[in-house]
Amino acid sequence: MKNVLVIGSTGQIGSELTMKLRGIYGNANVVAGYIKGAEPKGELLESGPAEEVDITNAQQIADAVRKHKVDTIYNLAALLSAVAEAKPLLAWKIGIGGLMNTLEVARELKCAVFTPSSIGSFGPNAPKDGTPQDTIQQPRTMYGVTKVSGELLSNYYALKFGVDTRSVRFPGLISYVTPPGGGTTDYAVDIYYSAVKGEKFICPIKQGTFMDMMYMPDALRAAIEIMEANPERLIHRNSFNIASMSFDPEIIYNKIKEYVPGFEMVYDVDPLRQGIADSWPNRLDDTCARMEWDWKPEYDLDAMTRDMLDKLRIKFGKS
Ligand code: SER
């Protein structure tokens, strides 16, 4: 990787990944791609190049790749699961139409491509605990349908055209920087905000609903390490299970209470998000990622909770 384009650089993952990539490959070598209405600001804007790159516009992708001699594209444009259920056509247009544009540009201009998949690529027919790397993927959400189709399309471009496509199946991502929007796992971010602001947390997901989660620093490292991995060791490409922690709302609530003793939580279950969560795995088996490219998470629930609370207290002037 020398010259990188991040499509979706101002989103939940992009805003942090772009800065981390700039730290590794040099500010001038990482282009922040954005869409109108979500322009980069502050450090993201000032530290390196930025281009308008709407993933539904293949020409804009190709222009940015040519102009900046890009060799690696991080394709982070997507609608999260609950939003995709409300806007399925747009989710397909961005998730699959956009991916097809990206893969075609990558084929022509010889770029490697990273496109995140998700725990949402599995459905109710997959084993729930220790969900294997290779198993039934029959998601019942539009988000999942785009993710599993994206995995297949990316593998097709690797096999048929030799495009270096790689990817990981992200769990719910937790960060204090850019809040997610419209995901099923978002409650595990929102709960920290409530704890630090001194508010009661209203949990939209039922007690006993387990999902994989990951602290953002581990997720960013995974996205970079998979693209740097020795291709000769890779048996899989799109997409690797990765995991670091799995919990239900009670477990994260009780963990936060260890550090914020008066913290209160009540349930008001959102049927849409609950239905999505019920169809997803409880805990993925990430053995293949560990064996093929030495994946290893650094944060567990306790380490993440201490860091989230510290950073959010600083953010909200509560330290
Ligand atoms: N965080 C995503 C969502 O909840 C899952 O990949 O939609």
Side-chain angles (χ1 to χ4, degrees), residues 65-130:
V65 166
R66 282 206 182 88
K67 180 171 167 191
H68 296 275
K69 299 188 172 42
V70 166
D71 54 53
T72 304
I73 302 173
Y74 276 86
N75 161 22
L76 306 178
L79 299 186
L80 287 181
S81 53
V83 180
E85 285 309 285
K87 300 178 184 172
L89 294 185
L90 185 61
W92 181 265
K93 192 173 165 192
I94 294 171
I96 296 302
L99 173 60
M100 193 58 131
N101 289 340
T102 307
L103 291 171
E104 268 301 295
V105 171
R107 180 177 69 80
E108 253 185 63
L109 302 177
K110 309 216 173 324
C111 302
V113 180
F114 173 88
T115 307
S117 185
S118 161
I119 52 172
S121 70
F122 297 102
N125 299 331
K128 273 205 165 310
D129 289 295

Side-chain angles (χ1 to χ4, degrees), residues 247-307:
F247 52 74
D248 83 328
E250 286 295 311
I251 293 174
I252 185 172
Y253 167 65
N254 284 314
K255 177 51 75 182
I256 293 172
K257 257 180 76 159
E258 286 177 23
Y259 302 99
V260 186
F263 184 41
E264 284 180 75
M265 177 172 86
V266 292
Y267 288 93
D268 183 10
V269 173
D270 168 13
L272 172 66
R273 283 182 167 78
Q274 186 63 43
I276 295 173
D278 286 340
S279 76
W280 287 357
N282 295 341
R283 187 181 53 80
L284 301 190
D285 178 338
D286 62 359
T287 310
C288 291
R290 288 173 186 264
M291 288 178 66
E292 292 174 42
W293 49 281
D294 305 323
W295 157 248
K296 197 170 180 294
E298 283 172 4
Y299 286 87
D300 61 12
L301 178 59
D302 187 59
M304 175 176 81
T305 298
R306 281 188 279 119
D307 203 54

Side-chain angles (χ1 to χ4, degrees), residues 104-282:
E104 268 301 295
V105 171
R107 180 177 69 80
E108 253 185 63
L109 302 177
K110 309 216 173 324
C111 302
V113 180
F114 173 88
T115 307
S117 185
S118 161
I119 52 172
S121 70
F122 297 102
N125 299 331
K128 273 205 165 310
D129 289 295
T131 310
Q133 171 67 39
D134 299 309
T135 187
I136 299 166
Q137 285 178 282
Q138 295 177 334
R140 295 203 181 152
T141 62
M142 183 45 104
Y143 180 71
V145 169
T146 64
K147 288 300 180 193
V148 77
S149 307
E151 291 187 10
L152 295 172
L153 201 53
S154 299
N155 276 340
Y156 177 79
Y157 267 71
L159 284 167
K160 180 90 175 175
F161 304 119
V163 178
D164 186 1
T165 57
R166 306 181 190 189
S167 140
V168 296
R169 294 180 182 132
F170 278 134
L173 299 182
I174 295 165
S175 160
Y176 56 89
V177 181
T178 306
T184 302
T185 55
D186 294 6
Y187 89 88
V189 180
D190 300 338
I191 192 171
Y192 286 106
Y193 278 76
S194 295
V196 168
K197 287 179 177 169
E199 293 165 0
K200 183 190 281 185
F201 181 61
I202 299 170
C203 186
I205 297 291
K206 233 189 258 169
Q207 176 172 4
T209 310
F210 281 76
M211 287 185 277
D212 274 300
M213 303 281 179
M214 185 174 287
Y215 200 32
M216 190 61 92
D218 275 335
L220 301 180
R221 211 165 37 73
I224 293 168
E225 285 178 9
I226 181 64
M227 295 313 283
E228 290 285 4
N230 176 359
E232 284 166 21
R233 286 181 60 199
L234 299 183
I235 298 162
H236 299 85
R237 275 183 172 273
N238 303 284
S239 182
F240 281 95
N241 282 2
I242 56 170
S244 62
M245 61 186 96
S246 166
F247 52 74
D248 83 328
E250 286 295 311
I251 293 174
I252 185 172
Y253 167 65
N254 284 314
K255 177 51 75 182
I256 293 172
K257 257 180 76 159
E258 286 177 23
Y259 302 99
V260 186
F263 184 41
E264 284 180 75
M265 177 172 86
V266 292
Y267 288 93
D268 183 10
V269 173
D270 168 13
L272 172 66
R273 283 182 167 78
Q274 186 63 43
I276 295 173
D278 286 340
S279 76
W280 287 357
N282 295 341

